[in-house]
Amino acid sequence: MEQTKQQPQSILGLPLNELIHEFLKAGFSKLDAKRVFPWIHTKLAMSFDEMSDVPKQVRTNLPKFFSLDRPVCKILQESSDGTAKALLEFTDENCVETVFIPDERRNTICISSQVGCLIGCKFCNTGTQQFRRNLTSSEIMAQIIYWIERQKHLGNPPITNIVFMGMGEPLLNSKNLFATLEILLSKKTYDFSRNKITVSTSGIITEAITDLAKFGVKLAISLHAPNDKLRSELMPINNKYKIAEILSASKKYLKQSNTNHITFEYLLLYDVNDYDECAIQLADLLKSFGNKCRVNLIVFNNWDGSQFIGSSNDRVNQFSKILLSKGIRTIIRKSRGRDIMAACGQLKSSDKK
C-alpha cells in the first residue's frame, strides 16, 4: 500500500533547542537551525527562500520537512471600541478565536491555548463548546505572530502586552505554553518583559504552576466566588482544587516567581455572587496577601443560552467600595469588544456541541 506523505511540521513555536533537535532528526545541522531561528521570529519570514544566509540546498530541502505557514483567518471582526477578533483555522480545520485590545498606553492580545475547554465554568461561553484538543506551541505562537504582522501591515504601534486568557485552560496545556513563553521572553527573539505577560488559570494546582513560576510572568486566578460552596456551583474544578489550596499555591507563586502581585478575577453575577456579604468574605480571604494581590471585578458579558445576567453598575460599584474599604486593591475592568462577542467569557469557535 502506498504510504501517505507526511505533512511538513510547523516550526513557528519551537524554541531554539527544540528546533535544533528537529533539524538534526531531519538530517540538517545545528548551524542550519541557528541560522533559521532568527528569520522565523525577528524577521517574520514567510518562506525559507527569504533566508539569505542559509545555504541554497538547505533552503530548497527545508519545505519537505518543515513549514512556516500561518493559520487562515476565516473571520476578522472589528468592534466600535477598536477591539478586533480573529477566527483562525489550523491545518486540521479546527479553529480558535483570538482578540486584539488597543488602549492609549498599550496594545494587548488575548491568546487561546485549547480548542474548546475542559473546565466547564457555568458562566463561560467557551465551556459550552466541546473540547477538541490542545493547541501546539506553533499554533499558540501563530496567534501572536498574526497580530504582530497585522499591526506592522497597518503601520500601527506594536503589541505591548500578552494575556493567555482566551479559549481553554493554559495550565492544562503547560508544555506548549512554556515553549511559547520561552520564545517570547528570549532576548534573541521578541524580548518581552515578564511583567507584560499574564497567564490566567481557573486554579489548576499541579506542578505546572510551580514550573510557570520559573518564567516569572504575572498570574491571574479566576476566583469568582468567596466560598467553596458557591465556587463549586459556578466552577466544577473547585471540587478538585479548593479555594484554600489555590490561595496557598498563589502565595508560593509570589515567592517563586518574584512577581509584584497576584490578580484575582471576580465576575459579578446578579443575585449570585454580588452581595455585600460576598464582598466581605472575599476581603477576608485575601487580607493575608496585603498589598501583594489585586482584584479585577468583571461585569458579566452576555451570550446566547446563558442562565446569568450581569450585576448593575450600582452593585458593581458597591462591591468595589467594600473591597477598597477593607484594604484590597480593586479595579473594575472595562469590557471591550462586547458587540463582536470578543469580551471576557464570550469566545467560542464552533457551534458544534
Side-chain angles (χ1 to χ4, degrees):
M1 184 169 61
E2 185 179 345
Q3 189 174 3
T4 304
K5 185 179 178 182
Q6 187 172 356
Q7 188 171 347
Q9 176 188 2
S10 175
I11 55 175
L12 294 180
L14 298 187
L16 181 55
N17 62 325
E18 291 186 29
L19 187 67
I20 290 171
H21 176 73
E22 294 301 323
F23 267 47
L24 292 174
K25 274 174 54 179
F28 299 99
S29 71
K30 183 176 181 179
L31 180 58
D32 291 333
K34 286 186 173 182
R35 283 173 171 163
V36 167
F37 189 67
W39 280 97
I40 300 171
H41 301 291
T42 62
K43 299 180 183 179
L44 299 176
M46 299 287 289
S47 74
F48 295 110
D49 287 337
E50 299 175 41
M51 303 179 181
S52 55
D53 61 346
V54 177
K56 185 175 181 181
Q57 185 176 0
V58 174
R59 295 201 309 263
T60 301
N61 286 313
L62 281 171
K64 299 175 184 177
F65 301 90
F66 305 113
S67 168
L68 300 171
D69 291 348
R70 277 57 168 158
V72 176
C73 181
K74 303 291 286 186
I75 303 172
L76 177 64
Q77 297 172 276
E78 295 190 55
S79 167
S80 57
D81 64 20
T83 301
K85 182 176 73 170
L87 178 70
L88 302 184
E89 183 182 69
F90 301 110
T91 54
D92 65 353
E93 298 185 350
N94 275 302
C95 299
V96 296
E97 291 189 323
T98 175
V99 180
F100 166 76
I101 310 160
D103 210 337
E104 290 182 5
R105 295 177 298 169
R106 62 177 69 93
N107 284 319
T108 303
I109 51 176
C110 180
I111 302 302
S112 295
S113 56
Q114 297 178 313
V115 182
C117 187
L118 286 166
I119 302 301
C121 300
K122 304 301 182 185
F123 46 76
C124 182
N125 197 22
T126 309
T128 66
Q129 177 178 334
Q130 182 179 350
F131 175 79
R132 297 293 181 182
R133 61 175 178 83
N134 284 332
L135 295 181
T136 67
S137 59
S138 290
E139 290 168 335
I140 297 173
M141 195 68 224
Q143 298 170 67
I144 298 165
I145 290 174
Y146 172 82
W147 293 115
I148 291 174
E149 290 180 329
R150 183 173 184 270
Q151 286 298 96
K152 284 189 174 182
H153 175 73
L154 296 174
N156 290 339
I159 302 302
T160 60
N161 295 66
I162 301 175
V163 296
F164 290 90
M165 296 182 179
M167 296 172 57
E169 165 56 59
L171 293 187
L172 290 181
N173 189 13
S174 58
K175 178 184 176 183
N176 293 318
L177 169 68
F178 297 161
T180 306
L181 292 176
E182 186 177 336
I183 294 171
L184 292 172
L185 295 169
S186 171
K187 294 185 182 298
K188 295 180 179 179
T189 55
Y190 303 93
D191 194 21
F192 267 91
S193 165
R194 65 188 183 90
N195 294 316
K196 301 295 185 181
I197 298 176
T198 302
V199 174
S200 178
T201 179
S202 57
I204 304 297
I205 311 305
T206 64
E207 65 276 4
I209 198 169
T210 301
D211 292 337
L212 180 66
K214 298 172 185 176
F215 293 94
V217 297
K218 290 183 176 179
L219 181 67
I221 305 287
S222 295
L223 198 59
H224 305 314
N227 58 71
D228 283 322
K229 182 179 183 299
L230 180 55
R231 191 168 191 267
S232 293
E233 291 172 5
L234 296 174
M235 304 176 68
I237 192 67
N238 196 73
N239 292 314
K240 187 171 184 179
Y241 304 111
K242 303 296 186 184
I243 291 177
E245 297 174 86
I246 293 170
L247 297 183
S248 177
S250 298
K251 289 178 180 177
K252 288 180 182 177
Y253 188 88
L254 276 170
K255 293 179 180 178
Q256 293 169 343
S257 66
N258 199 31
T259 49
N260 294 327
H261 65 268
I262 300 287
T263 297
F264 293 96
E265 297 175 315
Y266 196 99
L267 180 70
L268 286 163
L269 303 168
Y270 175 71
D271 256 0
V272 176
N273 65 351
D274 62 350
Y275 300 109
D276 288 1
E277 181 58 32
C278 289
I280 294 168
Q281 286 181 34
L282 182 61
D284 287 342
L285 276 180
L286 302 181
K287 64 183 179 182
S288 61
F289 283 85
N291 65 352
K292 293 290 186 179
C293 81
R294 183 175 72 189
V295 172
N296 271 2
L297 294 180
I298 305 169
V299 179
F300 176 69
N301 301 297
N302 195 31
W303 43 271
D304 288 344
S306 172
Q307 61 183 297
F308 301 106
I309 59 174
S311 303
S312 67
N313 288 336
D314 287 345
R315 237 356 290 141
V316 173
N317 290 330
Q318 173 67 5
F319 203 96
S320 174
K321 184 178 178 181
I322 293 172
L323 292 177
L324 289 168
S325 72
K326 299 284 187 178
I328 304 298
R329 295 167 61 196
T330 305
I331 293 174
I332 300 173
R333 188 197 289 177
K334 183 180 178 182
S335 288
R336 300 290 300 275
R338 276 184 175 181
D339 55 334
I340 58 170
M341 294 292 288
C344 180
Q346 291 185 318
L347 301 187
K348 184 178 180 182
S349 63
S350 173
D351 289 328
K352 296 176 182 177
K353 300 290 184 181

